[in-house]
């Protein structure tokens, strides 16, 4: 258990350091990555896909609005539903940062043998299944 926590912490720190080079927090990156190549999503959908809590998500969206990377839209047919969409600038950030970040992480995973990666995939899948109902 301890090794899993340490691996997660190492991965998170490595990932976060790279994301911060783009003047984004990890939560902001998660939202941008989630909204990329979509027509937008409700706050609830973003929360489910990113696992960011509702209170935290509101602040993240507010800061992304200040950076002019997302907008909130209220559909005329359902005024209770708020849709968050990337702005053209937000889409540009997604197109620049997302592939760069994937490539950055991929470089670390390539240090493992393909057989080790396959074993890791199988074991992580089994671990996930152990915690599902």
């Amino acid at each position: 258990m301890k090794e899993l926590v340490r691996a997660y912490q190492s991965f998170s720190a490595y990932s976060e350091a790279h994301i911060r080079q783009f003047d984004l927090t990890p939560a902001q990156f998660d939202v941008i990555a989630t909204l990329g190549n979509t027509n937008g999503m409700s706050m609830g959908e973003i929360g489910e896909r990113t696992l960011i809590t509702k209170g935290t998500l509101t602040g993240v969206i507010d800061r992304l609005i200040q950076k002019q990377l997302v907008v909130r839209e209220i559909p005329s047919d359902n005024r209770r539903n708020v849709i968050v969409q990337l702005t053209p600038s937000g889409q540009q950030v997604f197109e620049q940062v997302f592939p760069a970040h994937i490539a950055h992480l991929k470089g670390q995973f390539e240090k493992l043998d393909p057989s080790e990666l396959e074993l890791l995939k199988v074991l992580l899948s089994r671990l996930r299944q152990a915690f599902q109902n």
Side-chain angles (χ1 to χ4, degrees), residues 4 122-132:
L4 179 62
V122 169
L123 292 174
L124 287 172
S125 176
R126 288 183 59 197
L127 181 63
R128 178 180 44 83
Q129 290 171 8
F131 288 95
Q132 291 178 333

Side-chain angles (χ1 to χ4, degrees), residues 3-114:
E3 198 56 40
L4 179 62
V5 171
R6 286 183 175 166
Y8 172 75
Q9 289 170 333
S10 294
F11 176 84
S12 292
Y14 184 82
S15 176
E16 183 176 324
H18 185 250
I19 290 301
R20 289 196 181 277
Q21 293 176 9
F22 297 99
D23 193 32
L24 295 170
T25 66
Q28 290 170 352
F29 172 78
D30 285 350
V31 169
I32 289 172
T34 299
L35 291 174
N37 296 326
T38 73
N39 292 324
M41 293 181 190
S42 70
M43 293 286 282
E45 288 175 299
I46 296 169
E48 287 175 18
R49 293 183 186 209
T50 62
L51 303 178
I52 299 171
T53 63
K54 187 176 180 178
T56 301
L57 183 58
T58 299
V60 171
I61 298 298
D62 288 346
R63 286 182 284 288
L64 287 171
I65 288 171
Q66 289 172 355
K67 291 182 176 191
Q68 300 180 347
L69 299 177
V70 301
V71 292
R72 284 188 184 101
E73 297 287 333
I74 301 173
S76 58
D77 61 336
N78 184 354
R79 302 203 44 85
R80 289 182 284 160
N81 193 23
V82 175
I83 301 297
V84 179
Q85 298 174 313
L86 291 177
T87 63
S89 295
Q91 184 64 33
Q92 283 182 326
V93 168
F94 169 74
E95 291 171 4
Q96 173 194 5
V97 175
F98 187 75
H101 191 59
I102 296 301
H104 181 73
L105 296 176
K106 187 178 178 185
Q108 295 305 103
F109 282 105
E110 288 175 346
K111 293 178 179 179
L112 299 172
D113 291 336

